[in-house]
Amino acid sequence: MTEASQENINVFWFLPTHGDGRYLGTTEGGRAVDLPYLQQVALAADNLGYYGVLIPTGKSCEDSWLVASALAPLTKRLRYLVAVRPGLQPPSLAARMAATLDRLSEGRLLINVVTGGDPVENKGDGIFLSHAERYQVTREFLEVYSRLLKGEKVDFSGDHIRVEGAEVLFPPVQENGPPLYFGGSSEEAIDVAANQIDTYLTWGEPVAQVAEKLAVVRQRAEERGRKLSYGIRLHVIVRETEEEAWTAADRLIAHLDEDTIESAQKIFSRMDSTGQARMSALHGGSKESLRIGPNLWAGVGLVRGGAGTALVGSPEQVAERIREYQALGIEHFILSGYPHLEEAHRFAELVMPLLPLASNVEKRQRTVNTGPFGETIGGDRRPAKPASTK
């Protein structure tokens, strides 16, 4: 069911371009997500040692390419996972955009391939295709896009995409272009992943369900002579004790009423996304059964589409759950928490020291009061050890 655990993992954070706050489904505790705020989150993620940040896509979000372009010059190591949209962008335009941003960010671009699972939103974007047709577009798009970023001049004629003499004149920094990330639970999506993707992503289902899904994807890729890497998208609610963490989870949905939940679930039900259907099935639109596994909570999915589960617990518990997913072969963990600025710090301080990270912030000798000492005691000296708990 599993494969050997990856030795080290990459931990991503999330840029909440669709909104942020202390509570879900209400204006209470909401905050403006403007450029200064996104800068704060990106700089925090960069300084705290996160591998990268995911920028969401869709009509509810600010444009991911423009956001990444605005933030990349401010950060040093942080990578940006930005969406290409087959059916919305011609592959040649997407390839030029990717090559440009990869150069401007000095090789810190990653690509999230998003086919789109909401027929209503798709129609608003001029896409009137069935689920199967959209994945055929994705296959054709990636065929052209990937060849262009390898430096080829491309002639291609498919059912939906046709180009003649397409090329990218200015190459990306990363050889063959930025790595491709992609998530999808349908048969069509798994075929795309097995044939054309570098990293397959899943949402945070219980460990046994994730294991089953990854086994199918892994086998399908092996049949094609390919080996993928794997990632998972989760929210996190970590506190110093488990009791505090569950209290924080309950507080996050404290302002949710049944009408708000019903309205959100009605929107999710119109989608033809297999992954969204699997997320919705975890809670059934009810607050009554949200604890779906050890330290795994489905409350976020009551009103949020896409990733709807959170790891909830003490630092040690959350780290243990992450290692369980890691044992399945998952090496990329794309995390988030509300509010995103504060929770980026909290997770980095409480959990990241317990994890085998592939990339750590360089530890530098500090000459001013910014090292790992806490506040100077009495204006005179720095603390040398943790305070007594007795």
Side-chain angles (χ1 to χ4, degrees), residues 47 76-77 361-367 370-373:
N47 292 329
K76 299 177 181 178
R77 296 169 294 271
V361 176
E362 179 185 356
K363 303 299 182 183
R364 297 181 292 275
Q365 183 65 40
R366 303 287 189 170
T367 58
T370 56
F373 302 106

Side-chain angles (χ1 to χ4, degrees), residues 15-20 31-42 62 67 70-71:
L15 291 179
T17 63
H18 54 18
D20 200 9
R31 61 180 56 169
V33 179
D34 50 18
L35 181 58
Y37 183 67
L38 292 172
Q39 289 172 336
Q40 291 180 68
V41 178
E62 297 281 18
V67 170
L71 298 177

Side-chain angles (χ1 to χ4, degrees), residues 8 67 76 113 120 196 228 241 246 248 261 270 278 302 335 383:
N8 294 308
V67 170
K76 299 177 181 178
V113 181
V120 173
Q196 297 171 290
L228 310 183
T241 69
W246 285 115
I261 295 172
R270 79 190 184 199
R278 289 169 67 112
L302 291 173
L335 308 176

Side-chain angles (χ1 to χ4, degrees), residues 145-273:
Y145 170 92
S146 297
R147 289 173 60 188
L148 288 170
L149 286 178
K150 291 176 182 177
E152 297 182 29
K153 190 170 185 176
V154 179
D155 293 326
F156 180 87
S157 182
D159 294 335
H160 301 277
I161 292 175
R162 178 181 177 184
V163 297
E164 295 180 1
E167 59 183 328
V168 171
L169 297 179
F170 306 106
V173 171
Q174 299 177 79
E175 186 176 1
N176 297 328
L180 298 176
Y181 291 65
F182 172 86
S185 298
S186 67
E187 283 296 310
E188 294 92 341
I190 290 172
D191 277 338
V192 168
N195 280 292
Q196 297 171 290
I197 297 300
D198 301 306
T199 297
Y200 176 79
L201 301 174
T202 180
W203 287 327
E205 299 172 358
V207 172
Q209 292 183 30
V210 172
E212 285 182 17
K213 186 194 298 186
L214 296 195
V216 173
V217 177
R218 189 174 290 119
Q219 179 180 351
R220 201 79 57 88
E222 289 174 353
E223 290 170 355
R224 291 155 176 78
R226 303 187 71 239
K227 184 176 181 180
L228 310 183
S229 65
Y230 298 91
I232 192 167
R233 173 80 179 93
L234 284 157
H235 304 277
V236 285
I237 303 174
V238 61
R239 297 295 186 269
E240 293 188 22
T241 69
E242 181 179 13
E243 182 181 4
E244 290 176 298
W246 285 115
T247 298
D250 291 337
R251 187 180 302 119
L252 184 61
I253 60 171
H255 294 276
L256 274 186
D257 57 45
E258 294 304 319
D259 289 342
T260 302
I261 295 172
E262 183 180 356
S263 176
Q265 293 302 309
K266 189 174 296 185
I267 292 172
F268 302 152
S269 68
R270 79 190 184 199
M271 298 180 181
D272 59 11
S273 164

Side-chain angles (χ1 to χ4, degrees), residues 300-322:
V300 179
L302 291 173
V303 291
R304 186 196 190 281
T309 54
L311 295 178
V312 181
S314 69
E316 294 76 16
Q317 289 172 321
V318 171
E320 183 178 354
R321 301 287 86 78
I322 287 174

